[in-house]
Amino acid sequence: MADPKGFLTHRERENRPSRPVPVRIQDWKEVHGEQDTKVLQRQAGRCMDCGIPFCHTGCPLGNLIPEWNDHTRRANFADAIERLHATNNFPEFTGRLCPAPCETACVLGINQPPVTIKQIEVSIIDRAFSNGRVTPQEPEWLSGRTVAVVGSGPAGLAAAQQLGRAGHTVVVHERSDAVGGLLRYGIPEFKMEKSVLDRRLVQLRGEGIRFVTGMTVGGDGPDDLSLADLRERFDAVVLATGSTVPRMLDVPGADLDGVHAAMDYLVPANREALGSERGIDAEGKDVVIIGGGDTGADCLGTAHRHGARSVTQLEILPTPPADRPASQPWPTYPMLYKVSEAHEEGGERAYGVSTVEVLGQDGRVSGLRLADARFVDGRVELVPGTEREIPAQLVLLAMGFVGPDETAAPADVVPRTTRNTYERDASFATPLEGVFAAGDCGRGQSLIVWAIAEGRAAAAAVDRYLTGTTTLPAPVRPTDRPLTV
Ligand SMILES: Cc1cc2nc3c(=O)[nH]c(=O)nc-3n(C[C@H](O)[C@H](O)[C@H](O)COP(=O)(O)OP(=O)(O)OC[C@H]3O[C@@H](n4cnc5c(N)ncnc54)[C@H](O)[C@@H]3O)c2cc1C
Ligand code: SF4
C-alpha cells in the first residue's frame, strides 16, 4: 500500500545527482552518481499505487512499478529487487539508459512531475549488486535441448538467460571480441560503464550460458560457422544480430576523408575509454554530427571528451516543442525537445536543416553546405535562399540504421520485410524452421527495453517450440509498437 499522502507532501522530483560538467568531460566515467536513500524513499513515496497503473502500459516489459516503488519507500530493497527482476533481466541497463516511457505514462504526470521511476529502478539494482543479491539462478533440471543465440546485445542476452533458466543449453555466438552488442562498444562509458555489463555477465556465466566471441556467423574465418552449421548442431537458433547497417548521406562529397558513420567513431572511442589508442580523433576540430537522436548525442559527448573545437548537431526535423502538444496527450510518449546529459555539456543544435553538399579540400572534408528544410506533404523541400556554409573537419553520420547486415542470414536464406528486418510470425519464428529473430534485427532500430522484452518473448516461443509448452513470460508480440501518437 502506497503512502496515501506522499504525492501531496513531496510535489517535486529530485533527480539523481550528476557530476559537474567541467569535471565529467575530463574523463569517461558515468555522469550520474548514487541517489541518497532518504531522497529515494521520499521519491518512491510519491507513487500513488494507482488502481490502473498506466506506468505498466508505458513499459514494454510490464514492470511492476508500484510494487517496487512501495518496497523502496520502506527501504525494503530485498523485496524490491525480487519484484524488479520478475519482469526485467537487466534493470541496470534500462535504469541507466531507457528514455523511460513509463514516466511519460505515469498518472502523477497529468498534473505534477511524474514519479522518478527510472532512478528508483537503477538504485534498486545497484544496491542489489552491492549487497550480493544478484546471484546465478541455475535451472533445477536440464532439458537436453540446445539453443544457439547469434548476437550478444540485450536481446540475445535476455533470450539466453531465459532459455538457460528453462533448462536448455545455450551458446551465444558473438563476432566482436567482447560480449554486449551496442552496450559494449556503441553506448559510451559515460552513459554506462562497462563494469556494469561485466558484473551481469558473471551471473549469466554462473547460470551455464556459454559465450563464444570472435565468431562471425556466416563469416569466412577458419573458426566461423554458418547458419546452416548452427541449425545442424543446435535444436533451435535465435538471431539477435541487431540493426547494423547505417543510413548513409547521399549528397556530393559524402565520400570525402573525414566523413564517417557514427559507429566508426564510437566503437574505437569506447575502446579508448578502456585503455586502447585513440581511433578517429576530434581534438581541435569543428565536428558536425548529422542526426539529432541518441546516437548523435553519444557522438556529441564523445567529441567533447576528445577536446573538439566546436560541435554542431544537425536535425532535418523541425524543433520539437518543450511541452506536450495537444496532439500528443498523456499517456503517449511525446516527441519533445530533449536535453540529454551530452547536451548539457555544450555544443550547438540546428533543427530543420538539410545537408546539400559536403565541401572538401585535397580530398578531405572542410565544411558543409546546408539549407533550411521543410516538410510538404511528407516530402522534404529545401527553402530557397537559405543556403549557407559551415566549417567542419570531422563529419559524423548518425541518421539511424536500416536493418541487419547480410552476414548471419542473407535475404535469400531468411526473407526480409519491406523495412529490411527479418521476416517473422507472431511467435518470433522466421520462415526458416527452428530459426527465431529478436531485438533490432526483427523490430528495426529501437531501444534496449524493447530488445530485452523481445528477447524474453522470443525465449518463451523457443521454449514452446522445443518442449510443446512454456511457463516463460512473453511481455510483447513482434507487432507491438510503443504508445506514441
Ligand atoms: C550509439 C547508440 C546509442 C544508443 N543509446 C541508447 C540508449 O541510450 N537507450 C536505449 O534504450 N537504446 C539506445 N540505443 C539503441 C539500443 O542500443 C538498441 O536498440 C539495442 O542495443 C538493440 O539490441 P539487440 O540485442 O537487438 O542488438 P545489438 O545491441 O545491436 O547487438 C547485436 C549483436 O549481434 C552481433 N552480430 C551481428 N551479426 C553477427 C554475426 N553474423 N555473427 C555473430 N554476431 C553478430 C553484433 O556484433 C552485436 O554484438 C542506442 C543505439 C546506438 C547505436
Ligand atoms: S502511474 Fe505513476 S503514480 Fe501510478 S502506480 Fe505507476 S508510478 Fe505510481
Side-chain angles (χ1 to χ4, degrees):
M1 169 67 193
D3 176 354
K5 290 195 182 152
F7 69 101
L8 293 173
T9 44
H10 305 295
R11 288 174 172 264
E12 297 303 320
R13 264 169 81 96
E14 296 159 288
N15 292 318
R16 267 178 104 192
S18 50
R19 295 192 295 136
V21 170
V23 175
R24 72 194 198 212
I25 60 167
Q26 304 299 324
D27 63 40
W28 296 102
K29 294 198 181 86
E30 276 186 19
V31 163
H32 292 290
E34 217 177 79
Q35 183 65 284
D36 173 74
T37 301
K38 285 271 171 281
V39 178
L40 202 60
Q41 287 182 271
R42 201 156 57 223
Q43 286 298 311
R46 295 178 66 233
C47 175
M48 303 183 290
D49 191 12
C50 301
I52 300 176
F54 274 84
C55 51
H56 283 198
T57 30
C59 178
L61 286 163
N63 277 343
L64 305 169
I65 294 161
E67 295 184 33
W68 39 263
N69 277 345
D70 193 44
H71 288 308
T72 303
R73 176 174 81 82
R74 298 164 196 271
N76 177 3
F77 290 104
D79 286 333
I81 188 57
E82 189 277 319
R83 295 284 72 203
L84 181 51
H85 267 153
T87 56
N88 187 351
N89 299 64
F90 314 124
E92 66 277 25
F93 307 159
T94 43
R96 283 176 170 76
L97 301 166
C98 193
C102 54
E103 291 190 7
T104 50
C106 171
V107 176
L108 196 55
I110 295 174
N111 64 345
Q112 270 193 38
V115 175
T116 56
I117 300 171
K118 181 172 150 177
Q119 65 169 291
I120 294 169
E121 176 181 30
V122 77
S123 304
I124 294 169
I125 181 61
D126 281 356
R127 278 164 174 73
F129 270 106
S130 304
N131 296 332
R133 289 204 181 97
V134 183
T135 53
Q137 310 292 306
E138 288 170 73
E140 283 171 12
W141 53 275
L142 290 177
S143 68
R145 305 299 173 92
T146 58
V147 183
V149 174
V150 187
S152 64
L157 293 179
Q161 185 164 57
Q162 292 295 97
L163 286 163
R165 288 178 177 178
H168 307 304
T169 302
V170 183
V171 183
V172 179
H173 303 77
E174 170 55 55
R175 69 179 165 195
S176 179
D177 61 352
V179 171
L182 287 169
L183 299 167
R184 174 71 60 184
Y185 291 133
I187 291 166
E189 189 84 351
F190 56 82
K191 274 169 68 179
M192 190 182 89
E193 291 174 14
K194 305 305 167 234
S195 55
V196 170
L197 171 60
D198 289 331
R199 67 186 185 184
R200 178 61 75 173
L201 295 177
V202 171
Q203 185 199 37
L204 269 82
R205 289 196 170 96
E207 291 175 6
I209 309 297
R210 288 181 49 216
F211 294 97
V212 183
T213 52
M215 143 79 70
T216 302
V217 173
D220 49 17
D223 299 326
D224 289 340
L225 295 174
S226 66
L227 184 56
D229 294 330
L230 294 184
R231 291 182 73 207
E232 211 174 287
R233 296 179 188 193
F234 292 85
D235 296 315
V237 178
V238 179
L239 296 171
T241 53
S243 182
T244 43
V245 180
R247 186 173 286 114
M248 297 304 278
L249 188 64
D250 187 17
V251 298
D255 55 350
L256 286 166
D257 276 356
V259 181
H260 301 275
M263 292 305 290
D264 293 344
Y265 178 60
L266 291 175
V267 173
N270 262 299
R271 290 182 190 276
E272 179 191 340
L274 303 175
S276 297
E277 293 285 296
R278 183 165 294 184
I280 296 168
D281 196 355
E283 188 174 358
K285 292 181 181 156
D286 299 303
V287 179
V288 178
I289 301 158
I290 305 184
D294 271 346
T295 307
D298 291 351
C299 292
L300 175 73
T302 304
H304 278 135
R305 282 161 181 76
H306 274 172
R309 180 165 49 206
S310 73
V311 193
T312 308
Q313 195 179 5
L314 307 178
E315 170 58 53
I316 199 164
L317 295 170
T319 314
D323 299 314
R324 272 186 194 277
S327 60
Q328 300 178 41
W330 175 89
T332 60
Y333 187 81
M335 305 313 285
L336 299 180
Y337 186 79
K338 216 167 124 181
V339 182
S340 71
E341 290 76 11
H343 294 120
E344 286 169 8
E345 293 163 4
E348 297 289 318
R349 279 196 271 182
Y351 283 88
V353 286
S354 182
T355 305
V356 179
E357 186 182 353
V358 182
L359 307 167
Q361 250 175 2
D362 305 326
R364 272 205 71 81
V365 60
S366 60
L368 291 181
R369 177 168 299 126
L370 308 176
D372 288 348
R374 63 185 169 209
F375 283 80
V376 180
D377 297 332
R379 291 170 63 90
V380 181
E381 248 183 27
L382 300 181
V383 181
T386 59
E387 283 203 9
R388 68 268 191 191
E389 291 177 10
I390 60 168
Q393 298 84 47
L394 177 62
V395 174
L396 301 169
L397 308 178
M399 299 178 299
F401 299 86
V402 292
D405 59 57
E406 287 277 291
T407 329
D412 57 345
V413 177
V414 175
R416 304 286 174 110
T417 63
T418 50
R419 296 172 60 235
N420 195 37
T421 52
Y422 296 137
E423 206 177 291
R424 51 194 190 157
D425 67 13
S427 58
F428 296 86
T430 71
L432 209 59
E433 172 69 26
V435 178
F436 296 74
D440 281 8
C441 65
R443 164 167 294 275
Q445 175 192 352
S446 184
L447 294 172
I448 291 159
V449 67
W450 279 99
I452 299 173
E454 285 223 352
R456 286 170 71 84
V462 173
D463 188 33
R464 186 181 294 282
Y465 169 79
L466 293 174
T467 67
T469 181
T470 188
T471 52
L472 293 178
V476 289
R477 290 164 301 183
T479 47
D480 285 348
R481 289 287 170 255
L483 193 61
T484 47
V485 283

